[in-house]
Amino acid sequence: MEHILSCKQFTKQSLEELLDLAKDIKENPSKYKNALDGKIVAPIFFEPSTRTRLSFETAALRLGAKLIATENAQNSSTKKGESLKDTIRILNGYADCIVMRHNEDDSAEVAASVSKVPILNAGSGKKDHPSQSLLDIFTIREKRGKIYGTKIAILGDLVYGRTIHSLLELLTLYEGIEVWGLSKECFRLPNRYKEMLQAHNIKYHECSGFDELPRDIDVLYHTRIQSERFEGDFGKEEFVINKSVLSKFLQNTMVMHPLPRLNEISEDIDDDPRAVYFEQAHNGVPIRMAMYLTVMK
Ligand code: NCD
């Protein structure tokens, strides 16, 4: 694979190869410790990030690569008016791989159009966040043993949440998936994603309360209202997962979240074995190691 820009580029086979590689990395980390010896990775982040950036950096270091451009890209020549394409052209002379997060939906494709070194998209606008969705689906597979037949509820901001959009794209590669959407009316899933699900025979149920979700649902995937992506104030999340809400679901239900959380998940469930969001975030390291190896082999 040349670049990883979007979940749309995966086939079931290429996805499973990457997930299997991440699993092997997680189980046998020492096998990979010099795999990218001598390589240089340039992370450029035009938007805030903690987990994605630091786990991409950790992943590079764990493979023996070195990092440049550790400063926030908002302080780069972009501030002087340099175009994204020119920044990428320049980094091509320094690094063997570029990890980029940007607020524009098509930024990863723009970067890839001029880059001779692999681009790993670390989040582009409201559209794509492939590394997050890869670690999400890796976590689902690790916990359930399979992705086939997953019953998942997506919650929170289904309009601007790129993690939701990318995850749905990966799920269309599997049979037997069923999706429930629970959000405020203004954050309901855009039609193009509903149509995508429909085209893959995936049932989508739009809900207005937790009581409309099946008790034996496999995944409750919550997300933060992406207030930085729109004008106006749409208030706080109404559908909060707390102890009393979680008590209505069976023991196999996983609570997931890409993080950071605001009020979507209350801390009173953090110690419940069904709360997997911290483990999910930690899976970002083997997944991002697998991403580097997939594009830099
Ligand atoms: C997400 C993102 O950046 O889209 N964060 C992350 O990478 N884990 C979700 C969010 O910011 O709400």
Side-chain angles (χ1 to χ4, degrees):
M1 224 173 255
E2 209 183 339
H3 307 284
I4 299 182
L5 308 177
S6 155
C7 287
K8 281 198 227 46
Q9 75 192 77
F10 285 92
T11 59
K12 192 169 173 189
Q13 192 191 339
S14 60
L15 170 62
E16 298 210 333
E17 274 168 21
L18 195 145
L19 298 180
D20 289 343
L21 177 59
K23 181 172 185 277
D24 194 54
I25 291 170
K26 191 171 175 178
E27 287 166 3
N28 308 291
S30 59
K31 235 168 92 179
Y32 296 90
K33 69 173 195 270
N34 300 316
L36 291 185
D37 218 6
K39 298 284 188 195
I40 294 179
V41 171
I44 46 165
F45 278 64
F46 296 92
E47 279 190 343
S49 172
T50 307
R51 273 151 294 276
T52 305
R53 179 174 187 148
L54 294 182
S55 63
F56 261 119
E57 294 193 3
T58 304
L61 294 171
R62 292 230 184 272
L63 292 166
K66 293 192 171 60
L67 295 153
I68 54 166
T70 52
E71 182 190 347
N72 191 318
Q74 272 143 358
N75 297 328
S76 68
S77 281
T78 307
K79 218 173 177 173
K80 303 182 192 168
E82 185 171 59
S83 72
L84 177 58
K85 282 185 176 172
D86 275 359
T87 303
I88 298 297
R89 287 182 180 113
I90 294 306
L91 290 178
N92 266 238
Y94 305 158
D96 303 293
C97 178
I98 297 169
V99 177
M100 188 182 83
R101 167 170 287 192
H102 199 283
N103 52 306
E104 296 288 338
D105 283 4
D106 63 351
S107 51
E109 288 76 12
V110 169
S113 72
V114 295
S115 188
K116 294 187 177 59
V117 304
I119 303 284
L120 296 181
N121 181 5
S124 48
K126 61 182 181 319
K127 195 158 80 57
D128 294 305
H129 196 347
S131 68
Q132 178 68 45
S133 308
L134 290 167
L135 74 90
D136 293 341
I137 209 151
F138 179 81
T139 306
I140 295 172
R141 191 178 82 155
E142 188 177 49
K143 298 278 168 197
R144 280 190 79 232
K146 58 180 187 289
I147 301 160
Y148 167 85
T150 299
K151 292 199 260 182
I152 179 170
I154 48 175
L155 292 93
D157 186 343
L158 312 182
V159 174
Y160 299 97
R162 57 192 173 196
T163 68
I164 295 280
H165 302 154
S166 280
L167 181 58
L168 292 179
E169 284 168 0
L170 287 187
L171 288 171
T172 61
L173 298 174
Y174 290 85
E175 302 290 318
I177 305 292
E178 201 165 341
V179 186
W180 285 257
L182 176 56
S183 68
K184 289 188 189 189
E185 215 177 311
C186 55
F187 292 121
R188 284 194 172 157
L189 192 66
N191 281 336
R192 65 182 178 284
Y193 292 102
K194 289 186 197 164
E195 284 156 15
M196 173 187 79
L197 294 176
Q198 203 176 20
H200 289 86
N201 287 323
I202 296 178
K203 267 201 202 134
Y204 183 71
H205 313 265
E206 204 146 73
C207 310
S208 40
F210 280 109
D211 53 347
E212 291 171 47
L213 307 180
R215 282 191 73 221
D216 64 345
I217 199 148
D218 298 294
V219 182
L220 298 171
Y221 190 103
H222 218 322
T223 58
R224 172 182 71 86
I225 294 176
Q226 309 281 299
S227 50
E228 70 277 28
R229 302 205 189 282
F230 55 83
E231 301 280 316
D233 180 8
F234 290 93
K236 277 182 153 187
E237 179 53 57
E238 284 168 14
F239 301 105
V240 176
I241 305 180
N242 54 28
K243 233 184 189 140
S244 118
V245 165
L246 195 54
S247 70
K248 298 187 177 71
F249 295 94
L250 301 183
Q251 281 312 310
N252 64 310
T253 301
M254 285 175 248
V255 182
M256 300 181 72
H257 194 302
L259 303 176
R261 67 175 155 185
L262 301 177
N263 70 319
E264 308 84 46
I265 297 178
S266 99
E267 280 187 24
D268 70 3
I269 68 151
D270 284 357
D271 294 327
D272 190 299
R274 290 171 288 181
V276 303
Y277 29 89
F278 295 123
E279 242 181 295
Q280 178 190 351
H282 293 157
N283 279 335
V285 175
I287 276 292
R288 289 171 173 125
M289 288 169 77
M291 290 174 75
Y292 285 127
L293 292 174
T294 301
V295 297
M296 280 201 272
K297 258 190 303 206

